[in-house]
Amino acid sequence: MYFFIFLDLYMTLTDFYHDCKGRISESSALSYLQNLLPFFTWLDVYSKYQGETVHWNDEPDAIRVAIEDYLMNEMACKVREKDSFRFVNRTHKSPNTVNRFLSSLKSFYKSMNQLKRPIAEYR
C-alpha cells in the first residue's frame, strides 16, 4: 500500500512540476518542489487527523489541520483563527521560507484543481 501512495505522490508532483513550468520559470518550479517535499514527507510520517494519517488528497479539513500542525510544529509559526481565516505569523524561530512554502502549497493545490486531480478521490 505504501508503495502505491508514494508512486501516486511522485506522479502528482511530476504533473505539478510540468504544470508550473508552463506558467513560471523552471528555477521557480524547482524551488516550489523543494519547498513541498519536506512537507509531504512530514505529512506521510507524522500527520494525524482524527487518528488517521493525512495524505495530500484527503478532505480539505484534514489537509487544513495538517498544514496548521506543520506550520506550528515544524516551522515554529503561530497560527490564529479569526472568522473563517487563519493568520500565520512567523516567530524568531521560524525559517525565512514560510511565505515561499505557503505560495508553493497554494500553487500545488491550484494546479491539482486545474489538472482535474480531485481531492479525496484517490483513497
Side-chain angles (χ1 to χ4, degrees), residues 7-19:
L7 184 60
D8 179 52
L9 179 58
Y10 174 79
M11 296 303 294
T12 300
L13 289 173
T14 301
D15 291 344
F16 169 65
Y17 171 74
H18 288 291
D19 184 55

Side-chain angles (χ1 to χ4, degrees), residues 46-60:
Y46 298 108
S47 67
K48 294 286 183 213
Y49 178 73
Q50 296 180 348
E52 298 289 325
T53 299
V54 180
H55 301 283
W56 74 267
N57 56 349
D58 267 331
E59 296 293 331

Side-chain angles (χ1 to χ4, degrees), residues 8-75:
D8 179 52
L9 179 58
Y10 174 79
M11 296 303 294
T12 300
L13 289 173
T14 301
D15 291 344
F16 169 65
Y17 171 74
H18 288 291
D19 184 55
C20 279
K21 270 184 33 177
R23 295 181 283 112
I24 59 177
S25 72
E26 183 174 355
S27 63
S28 293
L30 285 171
S31 176
Y32 275 17
L33 275 178
Q34 289 171 338
N35 279 278
L36 291 174
L37 287 174
F39 170 71
F40 286 122
T41 301
W42 176 89
L43 197 65
D44 189 47
V45 176
Y46 298 108
S47 67
K48 294 286 183 213
Y49 178 73
Q50 296 180 348
E52 298 289 325
T53 299
V54 180
H55 301 283
W56 74 267
N57 56 349
D58 267 331
E59 296 293 331
D61 286 341
I63 294 167
R64 188 175 301 114
V65 168
I67 292 168
E68 287 179 27
D69 288 347
Y70 185 78
L71 286 166
M72 291 185 295
N73 298 319
E74 300 300 313
M75 300 190 103

